[in-house]
């Protein structure tokens, strides 16, 4: 799509996954430092976990297609 290869797509997904993991780290740090309300932090962490699951599933299926 738009000249992007599947390899480029997978690479961008991998970057997204790493960025989501880093975001999770910072939110946990803010929560533990009491700079972010626990309820809000927990909500964000739940959302990030869901995003990570989605990205993982897409990466697995995309890599399987690329490797076949």
């Amino acid at each position: 799509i738009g000249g992007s290869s599947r390899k480029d797509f997978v690479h961008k997904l991998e970057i997204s996954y790493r960025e989501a993991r880093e975001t999770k780290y910072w939110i946990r740090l803010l929560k533990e430092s009491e700079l972010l309300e626990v309820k809000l932090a927990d909500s964000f962490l739940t959302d990030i976990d869901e995003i990570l699951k989605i990205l993982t599933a897409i990466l697995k299926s995309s890599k399987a297609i690329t490797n076949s």
Side-chain angles (χ1 to χ4, degrees):
I1 299 175
S4 293
S5 68
R6 186 167 302 277
K7 185 177 176 182
D8 289 335
F9 178 71
V10 168
H11 177 69
K12 289 173 183 167
L13 282 172
E14 289 170 337
I15 292 170
S16 299
Y17 180 84
R18 288 192 305 267
E19 292 294 333
R21 296 250 335 190
E22 183 177 355
T23 300
K24 183 176 181 177
Y25 167 81
W26 286 109
I27 291 174
R28 288 176 58 208
L29 191 64
L30 289 169
K31 177 184 172 184
E32 292 170 13
S33 302
E34 299 179 353
L35 295 172
L36 187 61
E37 182 183 320
V38 172
K39 188 174 180 178
L40 183 59
D42 288 342
S43 175
F44 287 154
L45 291 169
T46 299
D47 292 344
I48 290 171
D49 284 335
E50 190 64 30
I51 290 168
L52 287 168
K53 287 177 189 176
I54 292 167
L55 289 171
T56 299
I58 296 169
L59 273 165
K60 284 182 181 180
S61 63
S62 294
K63 285 181 178 181
I65 292 169
T66 302
N67 293 332
S68 58

